[in-house]
Amino acid sequence: MTRQNRRQFLRSAASVASAAGLYAFPPAITKALAITAERRTGTLQDVEHIVCLMLENRSFDHYFGTMPGVRGFADPFPIPVPDTALLQKKTVWYQRKDDATGTDPKILAPQHNDTTAHFALIRTAGTPHLYPDAQEAWDHGRMTSWPQHKRYASMAYYEEADIPFQFALANAFTVCDANHAAFTGGTNPNRCYFFTGTSHGRDERPGAFNGPAMDNSYNTLTKGAIAGGYTWTTYPERLEDAGVSWQIYQNEEVEYYAMNSLLGFRSFRDAYAASVPTASPARTPRQRALYEKGIRTRDLDLLKADVIAGKLPQVSWICPTKSGCEHPSPSSPAQGAAYTAKVLEALTANPEVWSKTVLIVNFDENDGYFDHVAPPAPPSLAAAGSDAANAQPAGASTVDASDEYLGQADGGVAAVDAYRQRPLGLGPRVPMYIVSPWSKGGWVNSQVFDQTSTIRFIEARFGVREPNISAWRRAVTGDLTSCFDFAKPNDADAITALPATAARDAASRALGKTTTPTVAPVPVLPSQRSGAKRSRALPYELHVNSAVEAGAAPPAATQVRLDFRNSGRQAAVFHVYDRLNLTRIPRRYTVEAGKALRDTWLADASGAYDLWVIAPNGFHRHFIGKAADATAAAQPEVGVSYEPQRMQLRVKLVNGGATEVTFSLANAYAAAPPTTHAINAQSDKVVVLPLQGSAGWYDVVIAVAGAPGYCRRLAGRMESGADSTSDPAMHGTAIGDQYRAPQ
């Protein structure tokens, strides 16, 4: 694609406006949709500018649980939660608050902040969001009592009518529905990952305070209080050393809320101190560079001026204002929308620059807002706490995850003493938009990302490696390149308008104070609208197979073995919930590309087992049965393989016993009725299921005649290497009851 001249640009903008049936919205937003990518090589090298804007404190479900085509409220495989006196056989959509008093409800579900009825709900107060309360809410992946630790307001969510700009931005470009906070906690640690790839930097430049960042320490910078600071190297410093141009754009040098976490680092604090006229010694050239690029005020007006002048650096970070950051209480979704629109207006002020620019809009953490997806994390240590020597992992990992736990001597923060040896992350899902000429068209990307993914995208483009990103994070999270089509960037046919922001911004500012949502006395499950999104191809090809191993004295000695295998191109975390023992810590298995793991579970006293497995992009396996299923007379089992070139799923029905076994097989995505298959003793049969009509999605339930309760459920999306669509079955009311196998 050749460069557009002004006449061509205006003509394309007008055609987009006409086709989209536009209503009033900022003209610069039309530009962002209309400007075509400058295609020179058809690769990542066509990107000349990467701009990173990190907003504040919203979870994915809180914003987009109702959005069609994303993993939201209609997720077919919600986490099962332990039984209580008030809840039996329920899912994560029902949350407990055991300390509720009087008429306050003890059970909550997500509830709508309806701003069309009460606009004041656009401006609500924040909820607890530090490491201790975040660990309690996550609870090793059990996630049963969010409002107990995050307050009632944690269950609030918005719909499109409440946050029209955010929905429209996601529908115009690309939204990531498997993007997670890097850290299970608050602002500063997550922003440390954003700027440095880590929250602790243990392996470099040891100092008196070398992390980890656990709270908002060192989040202010004043000429009278600059002692201390983190000592590891930041990514902007690495860019500086490599000769890659960079700049922080912010409104004030000492902006509140720690949105510029560089201010907490010794090198930048020294550069700031040296800027004082009476300072001695005077600034070095490096200190001058760090001060001018990383600390000095450079607001959105100067960003726009740099864009117009063609002086936008190769890498830029934007630290939003307190009122524009979307943080509950000082800001709101309406104010954040106005700020983001102003960023886009600045970046599109010069079409030549925007045609070579990627804008990544991320959120640092979830505040206390609920999200239903279990964060991928290393295995929990079953004996976590002070007895580190006896800590045993609940699960396993093929990649070293030792750098992903809070150490015994880390931080010296008494408040976290009870949480030693806990995983640092990943945290809950947070929204992320990928806005660029290469990502428009209303896409969803379901690859696992976190804050370090932004650094890795910069790495991929400019070749400057960040050594502080752990091996485990590099294996589990992606580098954002799957969000783009560099070869054919300008064929998007799903361009939508972005609504105006000024009126809602002004109305939100005029509120002046926050409003506390009322709590529903009886929980009502939320719903997700129907519809699908175009979905990017993903690097996952995952397998979990089972084998029932009867001991010498069944049923008590019966074991169920699960084999985890990854034939894809990226590591994945498998979560295993033992539905007969849901109070136990769920096991997690990190399996790198090309590797495998194996583990076993004991059946209960009656010989029963019930294992619920989830992994990225809707991958699911469910294994239910009894020891009697593994007797000499009947030994049914199921295997799965993929034929992506033919878009076929191959299901292998195995009878390892001495008598005939009859299987029934049903695919929820197929119009055909269930099929039956009689398999002779010591024989097997392969059933081929075509997946063309469901865009590669499958949900297969297999039962066995004469074995009540036996069930194998196989679900997910088979990747073919080509872009596809989101799960067509993901719509309707949230599933509140645990899945019951057909009898």
Side-chain angles (χ1 to χ4, degrees):
M1 180 69 64
T2 58
R3 294 187 178 186
Q4 293 180 304
N5 60 36
R6 179 172 175 80
R7 183 174 297 174
Q8 290 171 324
F9 164 71
L10 292 173
R11 188 184 301 121
S12 97
S15 68
V16 170
S18 176
L22 299 185
Y23 49 96
F25 63 93
I29 307 306
T30 308
K31 295 183 184 179
L33 294 166
I35 299 170
T36 57
E38 181 173 327
R39 188 180 186 277
R40 301 184 309 278
T41 68
T43 70
L44 174 62
Q45 297 305 307
D46 289 342
V47 177
E48 293 190 9
H49 311 283
I50 299 172
V51 182
C52 311
L53 167 63
M54 179 170 278
L55 300 169
E56 288 272 311
N57 293 46
R58 305 287 174 172
S59 78
F60 190 87
D61 278 342
H62 172 65
Y63 265 13
F64 295 125
T66 66
M67 173 175 274
V70 302
R71 191 154 301 277
F73 292 147
D75 189 340
F77 312 110
I79 295 169
V81 299
D83 289 348
T84 68
L86 297 176
L87 293 173
Q88 287 83 44
K89 303 297 182 271
K90 298 299 184 183
T91 72
V92 71
W93 295 118
Y94 289 107
Q95 291 287 308
R96 298 169 16 225
K97 196 172 194 312
D98 296 337
D99 62 353
T101 59
T103 59
D104 292 337
K106 290 183 177 291
I107 302 297
L108 283 86
Q111 58 181 46
H112 180 202
N113 275 356
D114 187 354
T115 67
T116 61
H118 305 285
F119 182 74
L121 291 173
I122 201 71
R123 190 89 177 267
T124 56
T127 58
H129 51 278
L130 294 178
Y131 186 73
D133 57 80
Q135 284 288 335
E136 291 287 353
W138 173 61
D139 191 23
H140 297 285
R142 288 176 289 225
M143 299 175 58
T144 59
S145 53
W146 211 273
Q148 180 83 11
H149 307 285
K150 302 290 194 175
R151 302 175 187 162
Y152 284 122
S154 65
M155 302 306 295
Y157 69 88
Y158 291 109
E159 296 183 357
E160 182 172 12
D162 309 304
I163 50 172
F165 181 90
Q166 285 83 355
F167 265 70
L169 190 63
N171 287 329
F173 294 97
T174 295
V175 64
C176 300
D177 69 351
N179 178 57
H180 291 257
F183 176 86
T184 307
T187 289
N188 192 47
N190 276 291
R191 289 183 177 265
C192 283
Y193 279 99
F194 183 56
F195 282 111
T196 76
T198 184
S199 63
H200 42 281
R202 295 185 182 126
D203 60 344
E204 40 162 348
R205 298 201 291 186
F209 194 94
N210 203 31
M214 298 300 299
D215 51 28
N216 288 345
S217 298
Y218 304 109
N219 71 333
T220 60
L221 186 60
T222 65
K223 293 181 171 69
I226 59 170
Y230 308 118
T231 59
W232 65 91
T233 304
T234 67
Y235 195 61
E237 291 175 86
R238 301 194 197 281
L239 295 180
E240 181 72 18
D241 294 339
V244 176
S245 61
W246 64 278
Q247 181 68 55
I248 304 293
Y249 291 92
Q250 60 185 1
N251 273 56
E252 300 177 23
E253 293 181 357
V254 293
E255 183 68 53
Y256 185 52
Y257 268 51
M259 281 174 280
N260 184 357
S261 289
L262 299 179
L263 305 183
F265 285 81
R266 183 76 260 163
S267 54
F268 284 87
R269 297 170 84 82
D270 287 346
Y272 182 82
S275 71
V276 181
T278 58
S280 181
R283 281 183 290 172
T284 65
R286 182 178 180 82
Q287 288 175 329
R288 183 175 294 107
L290 297 185
Y291 175 77
E292 293 292 335
K293 298 178 182 181
I295 300 175
R296 191 169 184 175
T297 298
R298 197 159 187 84
D299 61 13
L300 294 188
D301 290 336
L302 291 175
L303 169 65
K304 185 174 183 178
D306 286 347
V307 170
I308 292 173
K311 296 180 179 179
L312 184 67
Q314 292 166 291
V315 181
S316 305
W317 287 269
I318 299 173
C319 299
T321 61
K322 180 179 174 182
S323 63
C325 69
E326 298 193 32
H327 195 296
S329 192
S331 185
S332 71
Q335 294 163 250
Y339 185 88
T340 303
K342 191 173 181 180
V343 169
L344 280 169
E345 290 169 0
L347 293 175
T348 58
N350 184 340
E352 295 277 350
V353 172
W354 180 250
S355 73
K356 299 173 287 189
T357 297
V358 168
L359 170 64
I360 301 167
V361 184
N362 203 347
F363 287 72
D364 59 349
E365 36 100 353
N366 64 305
D367 204 82
Y369 291 115
F370 175 76
D371 187 84
H372 80 281
V373 171
S380 290
L381 302 180
S386 59
D387 190 12
N390 294 320
Q392 298 295 319
S397 176
T398 64
V399 60
D400 180 17
S402 59
D403 202 38
E404 291 295 331
Y405 298 88
L406 181 64
Q408 293 299 109
D410 285 342
V413 182
V416 305
D417 283 344
Y419 305 96
R420 303 290 178 188
Q421 302 301 310
R422 296 279 191 107
L424 295 167
L426 303 180
R429 289 188 306 168
V430 292
M432 181 164 62
Y433 321 99
I434 307 297
V435 185
S436 81
W438 300 276
S439 58
K440 60 187 179 183
W443 293 86
V444 62
N445 187 298
S446 300
Q447 187 175 359
V448 173
F449 302 127
D450 79 337
Q451 276 83 337
T452 66
S453 297
T454 298
I455 292 179
R456 291 179 60 202
F457 183 67
I458 302 170
E459 286 182 342
R461 172 58 184 90
F462 297 113
V464 181
R465 184 175 173 85
E466 175 48 76
N468 274 319
I469 300 175
S470 74
W472 184 86
R473 286 179 192 261
R474 286 191 179 275
V476 169
T477 65
D479 64 3
L480 304 184
T481 54
S482 64
C483 297
F484 304 89
D485 187 343
F486 296 110
K488 301 188 294 274
N490 299 310
D491 62 352
D493 58 6
I495 294 175
T496 57
L498 295 178
T501 61
R504 293 177 64 83
D505 175 41
S508 178
R509 292 172 182 271
L511 292 171
K513 60 181 182 179
T514 61
T515 294
T516 301
T518 56
V519 182
V522 178
V524 177
L525 294 174
S527 294
Q528 183 174 355
R529 290 161 47 199
S530 62
K533 284 185 173 292
R534 297 191 295 178
S535 175
R536 292 296 189 190
L538 301 179
Y540 300 117
E541 189 171 281
L542 308 177
H543 313 262
V544 183
N545 291 317
S546 64
V548 180
E549 303 171 338
T558 298
Q559 292 189 127
V560 182
R561 189 187 78 226
L562 296 186
D563 293 295
F564 307 88
R565 185 167 62 87
N566 186 348
S567 58
R569 294 179 286 108
Q570 182 174 330
V573 175
F574 298 86
H575 307 250
V576 184
Y577 293 82
D578 183 349
R579 295 208 311 173
L580 302 182
N581 298 281
L582 287 171
T583 58
R584 294 178 182 172
I585 293 176
R587 301 187 201 179
R588 288 184 298 279
Y589 301 85
T590 302
V591 184
E592 296 168 273
K595 296 187 178 182
L597 285 172
R598 173 178 292 181
D599 208 349
T600 58
W601 284 254
L602 281 174
D604 69 7
S606 70
Y609 60 89
D610 188 337
L611 302 176
W612 183 267
V613 184
I614 53 176
N617 198 34
F619 178 92
H620 174 61
R621 297 292 186 264
H622 194 185
F623 306 95
I624 310 175
K626 296 181 178 179
D629 303 329
T631 64
Q635 294 184 20
E637 202 45 87
V638 177
V640 180
S641 60
Y642 308 114
E643 290 277 355
Q645 291 75 26
R646 300 178 181 176
M647 290 296 288
Q648 294 177 344
L649 186 74
R650 298 173 63 85
V651 181
K652 187 176 184 179
L653 307 176
V654 181
N655 178 10
T659 61
E660 181 182 87
V661 173
T662 299
F663 294 83
S664 68
L665 185 152
N667 182 8
Y669 291 92
T675 58
T676 59
H677 308 270
I679 312 297
N680 293 329
Q682 299 296 311
S683 300
D684 60 64
K685 178 182 179 180
V686 174
V687 181
V688 178
L689 302 178
L691 302 183
Q692 294 93 336
S694 59
W697 293 93
Y698 61 93
D699 186 354
V700 179
V701 175
I702 299 163
V704 170
Y710 179 96
C711 180
R712 298 293 186 264
R713 189 179 183 187
L714 325 164
R717 185 177 82 174
M718 185 178 67
E719 295 292 334
S720 66
D723 296 332
S724 183
T725 63
S726 60
D727 188 347
M730 200 151 45
H731 60 86
T733 303
I735 299 172
D737 295 315
Q738 292 182 22
Y739 175 76
R740 296 289 93 193
Q743 300 294 311

